[in-house]
Amino acid sequence: MYQLYRDRPILVLCMILANIALSAWCLHLDPVINFDGVTYLKVAQLLLDGRVADAFEFYSWPFYSLFIAGTAKLLMLDVEVAALALNTLLATSLTLAFVCIVAELSNNNKRIILIAMLVVLLFPSISKYRSFIIRDFGYLSCYLWSLYFIFRFCATTGKMHFLGWL
């Protein structure tokens, strides 16, 4: 990631801004919260209210909701806004990870990096779910960053890349 940012900071900034714009546009087109999102928001609100036992009783896997509640508390936002901001952040992270992997595998070929950026930004399966409050962006982002760091570790055998992979 650092190498991509160091070599092409404007490209990284454009990816971040494009992700924010695409997420805002998708939210404008589909402002209704999905069923899973309602559950996550309810549990996050219960956690913010200090009703941890009720949160676990309502939904037995409240970890994403805990992440939403932490974001809401840290940024002093409503849980819905915090969840949407978190999804945008995770979708951006997923995009950056994908482009970093392509950059690593293509030996920083500028044309291939630009194509990869367009592919991941406009990928229908990602764009379709940008307005949803789902955990998938976090899973995919972590998976891709892990893949990137194992590639970097194989190329450099650096301890930090090994830790990033873990």
Side-chain angles (χ1 to χ4, degrees):
M1 170 64 192
Y2 173 73
Q3 184 175 358
L4 183 67
Y5 176 73
R6 187 191 68 215
D7 295 343
R8 296 181 178 84
I10 294 175
L11 179 77
V12 172
L13 180 63
C14 287
M15 275 193 291
I16 292 169
L17 293 175
N19 269 292
I20 293 169
L22 282 170
S23 292
W25 181 57
C26 289
L27 285 169
H28 174 71
L29 293 177
D30 184 17
V32 178
I33 299 174
N34 56 310
F35 181 73
D36 289 349
V38 172
T39 303
Y40 298 140
L41 294 178
K42 173 71 175 167
V43 173
Q45 191 59 54
L46 288 171
L47 291 169
L48 283 174
D49 294 341
R51 298 169 53 193
V52 178
D54 292 339
F56 272 95
E57 187 177 316
F58 189 81
Y59 187 63
S60 60
W61 294 94
F63 305 108
Y64 188 63
S65 298
L66 184 63
F67 203 24
I68 292 170
T71 303
K73 188 163 185 130
L74 181 68
L75 300 177
M76 294 180 285
L77 297 171
D78 180 55
V79 289
E80 182 181 344
V81 175
L84 294 172
L86 188 59
N87 268 13
T88 301
L89 176 73
L90 292 171
T92 302
S93 175
L94 182 147
T95 303
L96 290 170
F98 180 80
V99 172
C100 284
I101 289 169
V102 170
E104 184 70 24
L105 295 176
S106 71
N107 203 22
N108 279 331
N109 184 312
K110 185 177 181 178
R111 185 175 303 145
I112 294 174
I113 291 171
L114 286 172
I115 292 169
M117 183 183 82
L118 290 174
V119 165
V120 74
L121 281 173
L122 302 175
F123 197 69
S125 295
I126 294 174
S127 297
K128 179 180 178 182
Y129 294 109
R130 281 185 183 270
S131 63
F132 285 32
I133 298 173
I134 53 175
R135 303 176 287 187
D136 299 26
F137 291 130
Y139 289 138
L140 291 172
S141 177
C142 289
Y143 178 76
L144 288 179
W145 280 117
S146 175
L147 193 61
Y148 169 74
F149 281 115
I150 193 66
F151 288 156
R152 290 293 299 153
F153 175 71
C154 289
T156 65
T157 65
K159 291 177 185 175
M160 294 307 290
H161 295 133
F162 180 73
L163 290 175
W165 173 59
L166 291 178

